[in-house]
Amino acid sequence: MDNPLLNMTGLPPFPALRPEHVEPAIDAVLEENRSRVAALLAATDHYAWDSLVAPLEALEDRLNRTWSPVSHMNAVVNTPELRAAYNACLPKLSDYATEMGQNEALYAAFRSIAEHAGFGTLDPVRQRIVSNALRDFRLAGVALDPERRERFRAIQQRLSTLTSKFEENLLDATHAWFRQVTDTAELAGLPDSALAAARQAAATRELDGWVFTLEYPSYFAVMSYADHRPLREAVYTAYVTRASDQGPHAGRWDNGPVMEEILALRHELAQLLGFRNYAERSLATKMAPDTGAVLAFLEDLAGRSLAMAREELDELHRYAREHHGLERLESWDITYCSEQLRRHRHQLSQEDLRPYFPEPRVLEGLFAVVERLYGVRAELQPGVDTWHPDVRFYRLVDEAGEVRGQFYLDLYARAHKRGGAWMDECIVRRVDAQGRVQVPVAYLTCNFNAPVEGRPALFTHNEVLTLFHEFGHGLHHMLTRIDHASVAGINGVAWDAVELPSQFLENWCWEPEALALISGHHETGAPLPPELIRRLRAARNFQAGMQMVRQLEFGLFDFRLHLEYDPARGARVQEILDEVRAQVAVVAPPAFNRFQHSFSHIFAGGYAAGYYSYKWAEVLASDAFSLFEEEGIFDAETGRRFLRTILERGGAQEPMELFIEFRGREPEIDALLRHNGIAA
């Protein structure tokens, strides 16, 4: 069989990729890698960068490039056949990673490089790669006895299966539920954009009327605007019980047992490596010095935010009573009443802004902002093979005419596509043995409403923020100047610093100079009027206290789950969540709420015992942006300095060193508090 996964030289040939190609390709690459590693180790007993580390990086890169399109398609065009092929490879990839991490001869070879007199003459980037590798060998269990090694391998294999299962349960539960509406009375309050999308969803299912789903744009529209309280309650109930033992599909895709087993195995894994718990294991590759520092950071922010959050909730209760006759505010009323209160106080709704953020203008403006800051322009490249007709492909070109990176842009929600928004790597920058530069390629994925009824896709301001956030990650990946894949772009970056470029870029979405570039009425082209800009900025910190404690709830819940795991007591998922809510939350959800069953960031993503990273990195992002507030938001010199010190350096240096090089000092929390309207 001619296998396109094995014959790739450039971009993945997505239309040619079939589920039956996946397992044979991975088997072939893993077999070839194993034999090549053995040959490298046998070739000499004096190991050096060029004879060992560089060839190993080439092997790892080929494996990543083979797997990347498979993993990506599994997330964005999921089918039963592709899912089966993907899952069949997970244990094989896990086994291979553990086998390499526990390879004593390989570990000894890296140690010999680090201990050789010539190590000090290697450039600092190569020294860091070798040091990282030695750390990662230890974290892979290279020092364990054979019995414990085997247990470590079994745990890793099982965890790769369980995290995939968590995501599959969530995907299936999300797409299994919908609500058909044929009575127009139930549609009161919903904006035209939501109704058009719901009509299209009904037509796709060959149903009359309107269909609302649990895809985020549909869910958010109902929760924010639907006057009909029973509709809000039905959609809320289905959404917060996805993949759980509660709600309309109770028990069908229940992630409860999956979470229990994941947490038990992570704890056992950490203890095998000599850590007391998985939170300690998580911090081995992060900026935060220890678990106490993380808890103190989150609890300090909670202490600064709680009073403000409680005042905001009290105000919401008063407003709901006086203006909507709601004596008791239920969870399905919070978003709706908050939106009504925002309108009442600021004469502003997300829907008021949507006509001013048509997709073509937003993209054009985003690219203009990036060009002003970093001197790179985005150019659409037609005719590139993709996995769906809606996907587009661009390249980034700098002022010298060099192609610095390329990216796929997949913006719209659809069936068989994972929810949320993310950036992922397709190809990582590296320079090969012949001196050829491998241009980095990113996947940029969102879940916005598609164009309907002849209009372009119209974004809310929140969606514009999401797009800027993911593009910030993409720039970190694409603009790197590091020549070694393991520390190029986001690779090798401490996870609690990786959100710096993404959260940083969001700031331009609030600035009048930038809003002039990213907004323009979809019918008239008129920019966002100054009065709307004033109201948007005035409403920036609307309920910022409530939003802050919500994020702190997620961060503390995640961290304590992994810090306090006790095999004798089990995971105590609901118990710990209830305790955290008693400590920092101001909104108490109903007993049937199972938010944790869809918390894929920590159960299926890279944020286990690391969700605090969003707030940790927001301190860095806010402080970095404050320099632009001082120098001018489009100050070219400051923009190029951020490019040189943060975006181009990837994981080649400690994040704190890079931040100090950019800012001239260590980060301070004042800008974060100011940007969130919380008194310092």
Side-chain angles (χ1 to χ4, degrees), residues 46 128 272 294 343 360 387 476 479 540 665:
H46 173 64
R128 184 169 175 85
L272 280 173
V294 173
R343 283 180 181 174
W387 53 91
H476 202 187
L479 296 183
R540 176 175 184 174
R665 56 163 173 74

Side-chain angles (χ1 to χ4, degrees), residues 320-604:
R321 233 184 349 262
E322 290 167 18
H323 294 266
H324 296 275
L326 292 174
E327 284 304 317
R328 180 181 167 83
L329 206 55
E330 300 289 357
S331 288
W332 46 90
D333 302 322
I334 300 274
T335 308
Y336 171 78
C337 289
S338 295
E339 185 62 25
Q340 298 296 320
L341 175 57
R342 189 205 314 262
R343 283 180 181 174
H344 178 76
R345 190 202 287 170
H346 296 289
Q347 291 77 54
L348 185 75
S349 146
Q350 286 282 334
E351 285 303 310
D352 297 335
L353 300 169
R354 202 187 278 275
Y356 289 95
F357 291 119
E359 178 194 315
R361 186 58 186 262
V362 171
L363 287 179
E364 188 184 307
L366 166 62
F367 299 153
V369 167
V370 167
E371 186 168 1
R372 288 195 187 188
L373 290 174
Y374 309 128
V376 293
R377 68 182 185 277
E379 299 176 346
L380 182 65
Q381 302 293 294
V384 174
D385 287 336
T386 68
W387 53 91
H388 191 276
D390 291 339
V391 178
R392 279 155 287 172
F393 188 79
Y394 294 82
R395 67 180 189 178
L396 288 180
V397 183
D398 68 15
E399 289 159 315
E402 181 187 344
V403 177
R404 295 288 295 273
Q406 304 183 109
F407 61 97
Y408 296 92
L409 189 64
D410 185 355
L411 289 177
Y412 313 133
R414 60 177 176 267
H416 313 297
K417 179 180 175 183
R418 195 177 95 203
W422 67 92
M423 188 286 295
D424 206 354
E425 301 170 336
C426 175
I427 298 174
V428 181
R429 178 186 162 98
R430 58 184 291 269
V431 175
D432 68 15
Q434 288 72 45
R436 292 176 301 225
V437 176
Q438 181 167 280
V439 175
V441 181
Y443 305 116
L444 293 166
T445 312
C446 298
N447 272 281
F448 305 147
N449 273 329
V452 285
E453 298 177 349
R455 287 198 305 262
L458 302 176
F459 297 155
T460 65
H461 186 256
N462 282 342
E463 288 171 334
V464 176
L465 285 166
T466 297
L467 180 61
F468 270 65
H469 179 101
E470 299 310 332
F471 204 70
H473 282 308
L475 293 173
H476 202 187
H477 171 65
M478 292 183 282
L479 296 183
T480 189
R481 279 295 195 193
I482 303 302
D483 294 339
H484 308 288
S486 59
V487 289
I490 62 170
N491 291 307
V493 178
W495 205 253
D496 42 10
V498 86
E499 295 295 335
L500 162 57
S502 51
Q503 298 190 124
F504 169 77
L505 196 61
E506 290 180 36
N507 286 288
W508 273 264
C509 299
W510 299 98
E511 297 297 321
E513 281 179 81
L515 284 165
L517 299 173
I518 61 178
S519 69
H521 196 281
H522 72 99
E523 289 172 343
T524 66
L528 202 57
E531 176 56 23
L532 266 184
I533 293 178
R534 187 194 66 73
R535 284 188 242 153
L536 173 66
R537 286 164 61 86
R540 176 175 184 174
N541 292 323
F542 176 72
Q543 293 185 345
M546 287 172 65
Q547 288 166 24
M548 176 70 82
V549 298
R550 181 87 169 120
Q551 284 298 304
L552 296 174
E553 174 190 322
F554 297 165
L556 275 167
F557 166 61
D558 160 50
F559 207 72
R560 283 189 53 192
L561 263 187
H562 292 95
L563 179 69
E564 298 173 19
Y565 185 87
D566 177 357
R569 302 175 68 192
R572 300 187 297 128
V573 175
Q574 190 66 51
E575 183 185 330
I576 288 175
L577 183 52
D578 290 343
E579 286 176 10
V580 168
R581 283 174 173 158
Q583 179 189 358
V584 301
V586 294
V587 174
F592 62 74
N593 181 295
R594 290 291 182 271
F595 144 76
Q596 62 270 29
H597 288 64
S598 63
F599 198 3
S600 53
H601 273 78
I602 71 167
F603 289 112

Side-chain angles (χ1 to χ4, degrees), residues 32-60 96 100 103 105-106 109-110 113:
E32 195 177 313
N33 276 17
R34 284 185 170 103
S35 111
R36 186 84 181 96
V37 170
L40 288 169
L41 288 171
T44 178
D45 56 3
H46 173 64
Y47 301 104
W49 179 273
D50 290 334
S51 64
L52 181 74
V53 186
L56 282 174
E57 184 172 270
L59 296 178
E60 192 64 20
Y96 173 78
M100 290 299 136
N103 185 319
L106 203 51
F110 270 84
I113 293 172

Side-chain angles (χ1 to χ4, degrees), residues 86-87 90-91 94-95 98 151-167 257-270 272-273 278 281 562 602-605 608:
Y86 173 85
N87 284 329
L90 290 179
S94 173
D95 268 358
T98 304
R151 179 60 187 152
F152 184 98
R153 185 194 67 78
I155 291 173
Q156 288 285 53
Q157 191 183 87
R158 180 66 180 151
L159 280 172
S160 71
T161 302
L162 287 167
T163 53
S164 177
K165 185 63 178 170
F166 186 95
E167 194 68 74
V258 180
M259 292 187 292
E260 288 280 341
E261 193 178 350
I262 285 173
L263 291 164
L265 291 175
R266 283 177 181 165
H267 183 76
E268 186 184 348
L269 189 84
L272 280 173
L273 295 172
Y278 193 81
R281 158 64 188 89
H562 292 95
I602 71 167
F603 289 112

